[in-house]
Amino acid sequence: MALTDTFIRQIKHTGAPAGDKHADGQGLYLLVKAAGKYWRMDYRYAKKRKTLALGVYPAVSLAKARKRRDEARELLADGNDPNQAKREDKQAKTKAAAHTFEVVARTWLAKTAANRAGSTQEKVTTWLENHVFPSIGKMPISAIGPRDVLAVVQKIEARGAIESAHRVKQVCGQIFRYGVSAGLVERDVTADLRGALAVIPKTHYAAITEPKQAGDLMRSIHAYTGHPYAVAALKLSPLVFVRPGELRGAEWSEIDLNAAEWRIPGSKMKMGLDHIIPLSAQAVEILHGIHPLTGHGKYVFPSIRTGERCMSENTINAALRSMGYSKEMMTAHGFRAMARTIMDEVLGERVDLIEHQLAHAVKDPNGRAYNRTAHLPARRDMMQRWANYLDKLRKGADVVPIRAAN
């Protein structure tokens, strides 16, 4: 006769050393001992009699014990040993508990640190520690779903930091993909969040694009008397017109002063592709000047506080503000627009060469992306003409106004 809840609750141990067995059917029985009541299931596998532990009463009720018995019988029907399946499930849970999102994220941070500038490593770590770990850090990475990540990034988005929300989602995606490669998770769940966040508003960086104003700016830059690191970085900015983060993260190992080239690895570029900056004679002179001060370290423009990190992201903008240029007039990023506009509309340089030097995606007539060395001699000449032109503006030579749009 099948067991009942009342019988199970009231039955007592009789004192039998091996305990008392009370059958429920299909191999399931309740084993009553002095220490408690235990669910067991007897079965045969590979012509051997085996016993499966299904839990302890009352934590496991009669209904739950029967459900576990039925699941075990399904495994047997498929040719699997329920005890082996139970061991594998326990091992998987132990492994999952040991590989929380925070553990995996910190391992990823350490393994990929060489691919990021020191300031970027610090920023990514801060994002994770402040916004991600408090919510999902202690969860096994294999147990995290798209909605868990979405809740994290939506909190950031709600504060109005839309771009940061996107960046944090991107970082989480990289951690999940690392987890996939390490066999800790099946897939990158952030792929399901496409379109879940507001679109990042396009940012228009203030920039000086008129030659006369550019001449005034160049004179102000050369008259600037701040910290030597900031002075050198500020003078180099218009000559190379890279993104501010690329300038700050410049490493001496990337620069060949004899060849007058700066080769930035793709891991540090927005487009993920290696980039070559031909250095004008003026740029080489600036780098030669700063080398005695920072050449012994990693970064061309190290932090004033510690040489282990690169210059602060606010340094160039702060210098521009101290020179009287508000954020509505000129920004560190604005040197790119200044070069793009004047080189095209005043100097008549080839647009494809300018775009390539800006590290924008440029395709050849057959629709193929140029490689990093494409038109390098022509770009080298262009960069020297640009540096010479800036010198003329700074010295007050006659300037050609930008052509009016038709």
Side-chain angles (χ1 to χ4, degrees), residues 384-406:
Q384 188 60 58
R385 285 193 296 271
W386 171 241
N388 294 342
Y389 178 75
L390 290 177
D391 277 349
K392 290 180 181 179
L393 291 182
R394 177 171 59 87
K395 294 173 182 176
D398 292 338
V399 296
V400 178
I402 291 179
R403 299 190 300 270
N406 294 327

PDB file of all heavy atoms in Angstrom, residues 384-406:
ATOM      1  N   GLN A 384      53.717  65.866 -42.909  1.00  0.00           N
ATOM      2  CA  GLN A 384      54.755  66.893 -42.848  1.00  0.00           C
ATOM      3  C   GLN A 384      54.228  68.229 -43.359  1.00  0.00           C
ATOM      4  O   GLN A 384      54.528  69.276 -42.776  1.00  0.00           O
ATOM      5  CB  GLN A 384      55.982  66.469 -43.654  1.00  0.00           C
ATOM      6  CG  GLN A 384      57.178  67.401 -43.487  1.00  0.00           C
ATOM      7  CD  GLN A 384      57.641  67.491 -42.036  1.00  0.00           C
ATOM      8  OE1 GLN A 384      57.988  66.500 -41.411  1.00  0.00           O
ATOM      9  NE2 GLN A 384      57.626  68.707 -41.484  1.00  0.00           N
ATOM     10  N   ARG A 385      53.418  68.181 -44.426  1.00  0.00           N
ATOM     11  CA  ARG A 385      52.817  69.436 -44.926  1.00  0.00           C
ATOM     12  C   ARG A 385      51.905  70.043 -43.866  1.00  0.00           C
ATOM     13  O   ARG A 385      51.873  71.273 -43.689  1.00  0.00           O
ATOM     14  CB  ARG A 385      52.024  69.156 -46.213  1.00  0.00           C
ATOM     15  CG  ARG A 385      52.881  68.932 -47.444  1.00  0.00           C
ATOM     16  CD  ARG A 385      52.053  68.979 -48.723  1.00  0.00           C
ATOM     17  NE  ARG A 385      51.065  67.904 -48.803  1.00  0.00           N
ATOM     18  CZ  ARG A 385      51.306  66.707 -49.327  1.00  0.00           C
ATOM     19  NH1 ARG A 385      52.511  66.410 -49.803  1.00  0.00           N
ATOM     20  NH2 ARG A 385      50.357  65.788 -49.381  1.00  0.00           N
ATOM     21  N   TRP A 386      51.173  69.200 -43.152  1.00  0.00           N
ATOM     22  CA  TRP A 386      50.268  69.684 -42.112  1.00  0.00           C
ATOM     23  C   TRP A 386      51.064  70.339 -40.976  1.00  0.00           C
ATOM     24  O   TRP A 386      50.706  71.426 -40.506  1.00  0.00           O
ATOM     25  CB  TRP A 386      49.433  68.520 -41.582  1.00  0.00           C
ATOM     26  CG  TRP A 386      48.599  68.803 -40.367  1.00  0.00           C
ATOM     27  CD1 TRP A 386      48.685  68.209 -39.157  1.00  0.00           C
ATOM     28  CD2 TRP A 386      47.540  69.767 -40.241  1.00  0.00           C
ATOM     29  NE1 TRP A 386      47.756  68.719 -38.283  1.00  0.00           N
ATOM     30  CE2 TRP A 386      47.032  69.680 -38.929  1.00  0.00           C
ATOM     31  CE3 TRP A 386      46.980  70.692 -41.119  1.00  0.00           C
ATOM     32  CZ2 TRP A 386      45.995  70.474 -38.470  1.00  0.00           C
ATOM     33  CZ3 TRP A 386      45.935  71.501 -40.659  1.00  0.00           C
ATOM     34  CH2 TRP A 386      45.455  71.390 -39.359  1.00  0.00           C
ATOM     35  N   ALA A 387      52.135  69.721 -40.567  1.00  0.00           N
ATOM     36  CA  ALA A 387      52.965  70.298 -39.494  1.00  0.00           C
ATOM     37  C   ALA A 387      53.579  71.625 -39.930  1.00  0.00           C
ATOM     38  O   ALA A 387      53.619  72.592 -39.158  1.00  0.00           O
ATOM     39  CB  ALA A 387      54.062  69.296 -39.103  1.00  0.00           C
ATOM     40  N   ASN A 388      54.024  71.681 -41.177  1.00  0.00           N
ATOM     41  CA  ASN A 388      54.603  72.930 -41.696  1.00  0.00           C
ATOM     42  C   ASN A 388      53.547  74.033 -41.745  1.00  0.00           C
ATOM     43  O   ASN A 388      53.832  75.203 -41.442  1.00  0.00           O
ATOM     44  CB  ASN A 388      55.186  72.712 -43.089  1.00  0.00           C
ATOM     45  CG  ASN A 388      56.388  71.779 -43.073  1.00  0.00           C
ATOM     46  OD1 ASN A 388      56.989  71.549 -42.023  1.00  0.00           O
ATOM     47  ND2 ASN A 388      56.736  71.242 -44.229  1.00  0.00           N
ATOM     48  N   TYR A 389      52.331  73.651 -42.131  1.00  0.00           N
ATOM     49  CA  TYR A 389      51.247  74.633 -42.221  1.00  0.00           C
ATOM     50  C   TYR A 389      50.910  75.178 -40.829  1.00  0.00           C
ATOM     51  O   TYR A 389      50.700  76.390 -40.660  1.00  0.00           O
ATOM     52  CB  TYR A 389      50.015  73.979 -42.855  1.00  0.00           C
ATOM     53  CG  TYR A 389      48.825  74.905 -42.946  1.00  0.00           C
ATOM     54  CD1 TYR A 389      48.765  75.915 -43.898  1.00  0.00           C
ATOM     55  CD2 TYR A 389      47.747  74.765 -42.073  1.00  0.00           C
ATOM     56  CE1 TYR A 389      47.674  76.768 -43.975  1.00  0.00           C
ATOM     57  CE2 TYR A 389      46.652  75.611 -42.144  1.00  0.00           C
ATOM     58  CZ  TYR A 389      46.623  76.611 -43.097  1.00  0.00           C
ATOM     59  OH  TYR A 389      45.531  77.458 -43.175  1.00  0.00           O
ATOM     60  N   LEU A 390      50.882  74.294 -39.829  1.00  0.00           N
ATOM     61  CA  LEU A 390      50.599  74.756 -38.467  1.00  0.00           C
ATOM     62  C   LEU A 390      51.674  75.719 -37.984  1.00  0.00           C
ATOM     63  O   LEU A 390      51.386  76.695 -37.276  1.00  0.00           O
ATOM     64  CB  LEU A 390      50.499  73.556 -37.516  1.00  0.00           C
ATOM     65  CG  LEU A 390      49.273  72.652 -37.692  1.00  0.00           C
ATOM     66  CD1 LEU A 390      49.339  71.469 -36.728  1.00  0.00           C
ATOM     67  CD2 LEU A 390      47.975  73.424 -37.476  1.00  0.00           C
ATOM     68  N   ASP A 391      52.920  75.459 -38.369  1.00  0.00           N
ATOM     69  CA  ASP A 391      54.003  76.388 -38.016  1.00  0.00           C
ATOM     70  C   ASP A 391      53.779  77.763 -38.647  1.00  0.00           C
ATOM     71  O   ASP A 391      53.996  78.804 -38.013  1.00  0.00           O
ATOM     72  CB  ASP A 391      55.352  75.824 -38.477  1.00  0.00           C
ATOM     73  CG  ASP A 391      55.934  74.831 -37.485  1.00  0.00           C
ATOM     74  OD1 ASP A 391      55.404  74.741 -36.359  1.00  0.00           O
ATOM     75  OD2 ASP A 391      56.911  74.143 -37.848  1.00  0.00           O
ATOM     76  N   LYS A 392      53.330  77.755 -39.896  1.00  0.00           N
ATOM     77  CA  LYS A 392      53.053  79.026 -40.577  1.00  0.00           C
ATOM     78  C   LYS A 392      51.930  79.788 -39.885  1.00  0.00           C
ATOM     79  O   LYS A 392      52.010  81.011 -39.701  1.00  0.00           O
ATOM     80  CB  LYS A 392      52.689  78.779 -42.037  1.00  0.00           C
ATOM     81  CG  LYS A 392      53.851  78.319 -42.908  1.00  0.00           C
ATOM     82  CD  LYS A 392      53.395  78.104 -44.338  1.00  0.00           C
ATOM     83  CE  LYS A 392      54.548  77.628 -45.226  1.00  0.00           C
ATOM     84  NZ  LYS A 392      54.089  77.395 -46.624  1.00  0.00           N
ATOM     85  N   LEU A 393      50.889  79.054 -39.503  1.00  0.00           N
ATOM     86  CA  LEU A 393      49.782  79.708 -38.791  1.00  0.00           C
ATOM     87  C   LEU A 393      50.277  80.305 -37.478  1.00  0.00           C
ATOM     88  O   LEU A 393      49.918  81.428 -37.113  1.00  0.00           O
ATOM     89  CB  LEU A 393      48.668  78.695 -38.511  1.00  0.00           C
ATOM     90  CG  LEU A 393      47.870  78.163 -39.699  1.00  0.00           C
ATOM     91  CD1 LEU A 393      46.776  77.212 -39.204  1.00  0.00           C
ATOM     92  CD2 LEU A 393      47.228  79.305 -40.495  1.00  0.00           C
ATOM     93  N   ARG A 394      51.086  79.535 -36.752  1.00  0.00           N
ATOM     94  CA  ARG A 394      51.582  80.000 -35.458  1.00  0.00           C
ATOM     95  C   ARG A 394      52.447  81.252 -35.603  1.00  0.00           C
ATOM     96  O   ARG A 394      52.407  82.158 -34.766  1.00  0.00           O
ATOM     97  CB  ARG A 394      52.381  78.870 -34.790  1.00  0.00           C
ATOM     98  CG  ARG A 394      53.022  79.247 -33.466  1.00  0.00           C
ATOM     99  CD  ARG A 394      53.590  78.026 -32.770  1.00  0.00           C
ATOM    100  NE  ARG A 394      54.602  77.360 -33.586  1.00  0.00           N
ATOM    101  CZ  ARG A 394      55.881  77.675 -33.604  1.00  0.00           C
ATOM    102  NH1 ARG A 394      56.315  78.709 -32.885  1.00  0.00           N
ATOM    103  NH2 ARG A 394      56.744  77.006 -34.350  1.00  0.00           N
ATOM    104  N   LYS A 395      53.201  81.333 -36.686  1.00  0.00           N
ATOM    105  CA  LYS A 395      54.112  82.465 -36.897  1.00  0.00           C
ATOM    106  C   LYS A 395      53.416  83.660 -37.537  1.00  0.00           C
ATOM    107  O   LYS A 395      54.047  84.690 -37.806  1.00  0.00           O
ATOM    108  CB  LYS A 395      55.287  82.017 -37.757  1.00  0.00           C
ATOM    109  CG  LYS A 395      56.166  80.985 -37.057  1.00  0.00           C
ATOM    110  CD  LYS A 395      57.228  80.414 -37.991  1.00  0.00           C
ATOM    111  CE  LYS A 395      58.065  79.348 -37.282  1.00  0.00           C
ATOM    112  NZ  LYS A 395      59.046  78.715 -38.198  1.00  0.00           N
ATOM    113  N   GLY A 396      52.109  83.495 -37.822  1.00  0.00           N
ATOM    114  CA  GLY A 396      51.343  84.614 -38.327  1.00  0.00           C
ATOM    115  C   GLY A 396      51.408  84.809 -39.816  1.00  0.00           C
ATOM    116  O   GLY A 396      51.138  85.906 -40.314  1.00  0.00           O
ATOM    117  N   ALA A 397      51.731  83.767 -40.568  1.00  0.00           N
ATOM    118  CA  ALA A 397      51.771  83.885 -42.032  1.00  0.00           C
ATOM    119  C   ALA A 397      50.360  84.058 -42.563  1.00  0.00           C
ATOM    120  O   ALA A 397      49.371  83.808 -41.876  1.00  0.00           O
ATOM    121  CB  ALA A 397      52.407  82.622 -42.628  1.00  0.00           C
ATOM    122  N   ASP A 398      50.272  84.532 -43.794  1.00  0.00           N
ATOM    123  CA  ASP A 398      48.955  84.705 -44.408  1.00  0.00           C
ATOM    124  C   ASP A 398      48.239  83.361 -44.446  1.00  0.00           C
ATOM    125  O   ASP A 398      48.833  82.328 -44.757  1.00  0.00           O
ATOM    126  CB  ASP A 398      49.094  85.244 -45.838  1.00  0.00           C
ATOM    127  CG  ASP A 398      49.627  86.660 -45.854  1.00  0.00           C
ATOM    128  OD1 ASP A 398      49.484  87.348 -44.810  1.00  0.00           O
ATOM    129  OD2 ASP A 398      50.185  87.067 -46.886  1.00  0.00           O
ATOM    130  N   VAL A 399      46.970  83.410 -44.131  1.00  0.00           N
ATOM    131  CA  VAL A 399      46.190  82.178 -44.137  1.00  0.00           C
ATOM    132  C   VAL A 399      45.096  82.278 -45.183  1.00  0.00           C
ATOM    133  O   VAL A 399      44.596  83.366 -45.498  1.00  0.00           O
ATOM    134  CB  VAL A 399      45.544  81.916 -42.758  1.00  0.00           C
ATOM    135  CG1 VAL A 399      46.606  81.687 -41.706  1.00  0.00           C
ATOM    136  CG2 VAL A 399      44.643  83.053 -42.334  1.00  0.00           C
ATOM    137  N   VAL A 400      44.745  81.126 -45.713  1.00  0.00           N
ATOM    138  CA  VAL A 400      43.677  81.044 -46.699  1.00  0.00           C
ATOM    139  C   VAL A 400      42.386  80.686 -45.975  1.00  0.00           C
ATOM    140  O   VAL A 400      42.341  79.690 -45.264  1.00  0.00           O
ATOM    141  CB  VAL A 400      43.978  79.979 -47.771  1.00  0.00           C
ATOM    142  CG1 VAL A 400      42.844  79.870 -48.771  1.00  0.00           C
ATOM    143  CG2 VAL A 400      45.310  80.280 -48.455  1.00  0.00           C
ATOM    144  N   PRO A 401      41.335  81.488 -46.103  1.00  0.00           N
ATOM    145  CA  PRO A 401      40.076  81.156 -45.403  1.00  0.00           C
ATOM    146  C   PRO A 401      39.460  79.906 -46.000  1.00  0.00           C
ATOM    147  O   PRO A 401      39.692  79.545 -47.135  1.00  0.00           O
ATOM    148  CB  PRO A 401      39.197  82.391 -45.679  1.00  0.00           C
ATOM    149  CG  PRO A 401      39.725  82.949 -46.955  1.00  0.00           C
ATOM    150  CD  PRO A 401      41.215  82.706 -46.931  1.00  0.00           C
ATOM    151  N   ILE A 402      38.682  79.234 -45.192  1.00  0.00           N
ATOM    152  CA  ILE A 402      37.982  78.023 -45.646  1.00  0.00           C
ATOM    153  C   ILE A 402      36.983  78.408 -46.705  1.00  0.00           C
ATOM    154  O   ILE A 402      36.266  79.419 -46.601  1.00  0.00           O
ATOM    155  CB  ILE A 402      37.257  77.339 -44.451  1.00  0.00           C
ATOM    156  CG1 ILE A 402      38.303  76.757 -43.518  1.00  0.00           C
ATOM    157  CG2 ILE A 402      36.305  76.269 -44.934  1.00  0.00           C
ATOM    158  CD1 ILE A 402      37.726  76.091 -42.304  1.00  0.00           C
ATOM    159  N   ARG A 403      36.922  77.602 -47.774  1.00  0.00           N
ATOM    160  CA  ARG A 403      36.005  77.870 -48.876  1.00  0.00           C
ATOM    161  C   ARG A 403      34.560  77.820 -48.404  1.00  0.00           C
ATOM    162  O   ARG A 403      34.188  76.944 -47.603  1.00  0.00           O
ATOM    163  CB  ARG A 403      36.187  76.837 -49.988  1.00  0.00           C
ATOM    164  CG  ARG A 403      37.580  76.840 -50.603  1.00  0.00           C
ATOM    165  CD  ARG A 403      37.591  75.962 -51.867  1.00  0.00           C
ATOM    166  NE  ARG A 403      37.234  74.586 -51.534  1.00  0.00           N
ATOM    167  CZ  ARG A 403      38.114  73.650 -51.188  1.00  0.00           C
ATOM    168  NH1 ARG A 403      39.400  73.962 -51.072  1.00  0.00           N
ATOM    169  NH2 ARG A 403      37.731  72.419 -50.932  1.00  0.00           N
ATOM    170  N   ALA A 404      33.785  78.757 -48.826  1.00  0.00           N
ATOM    171  CA  ALA A 404      32.365  78.746 -48.484  1.00  0.00           C
ATOM    172  C   ALA A 404      31.676  77.608 -49.205  1.00  0.00           C
ATOM    173  O   ALA A 404      32.013  77.274 -50.343  1.00  0.00           O
ATOM    174  CB  ALA A 404      31.708  80.078 -48.863  1.00  0.00           C
ATOM    175  N   ALA A 405      30.718  76.994 -48.527  1.00  0.00           N
ATOM    176  CA  ALA A 405      29.974  75.877 -49.131  1.00  0.00           C
ATOM    177  C   ALA A 405      29.111  76.404 -50.277  1.00  0.00           C
ATOM    178  O   ALA A 405      28.538  77.488 -50.194  1.00  0.00           O
ATOM    179  CB  ALA A 405      29.112  75.189 -48.087  1.00  0.00           C
ATOM    180  N   ASN A 406      29.040  75.643 -51.351  1.00  0.00           N
ATOM    181  CA  ASN A 406      28.210  76.059 -52.497  1.00  0.00           C
ATOM    182  C   ASN A 406      26.746  75.866 -52.173  1.00  0.00           C
ATOM    183  O   ASN A 406      26.373  74.944 -51.481  1.00  0.00           O
ATOM    184  CB  ASN A 406      28.565  75.206 -53.730  1.00  0.00           C
ATOM    185  CG  ASN A 406      30.003  75.493 -54.201  1.00  0.00           C
ATOM    186  OD1 ASN A 406      30.462  76.626 -54.065  1.00  0.00           O
ATOM    187  ND2 ASN A 406      30.675  74.491 -54.747  1.00  0.00           N
TER     188      ASN A 406
END
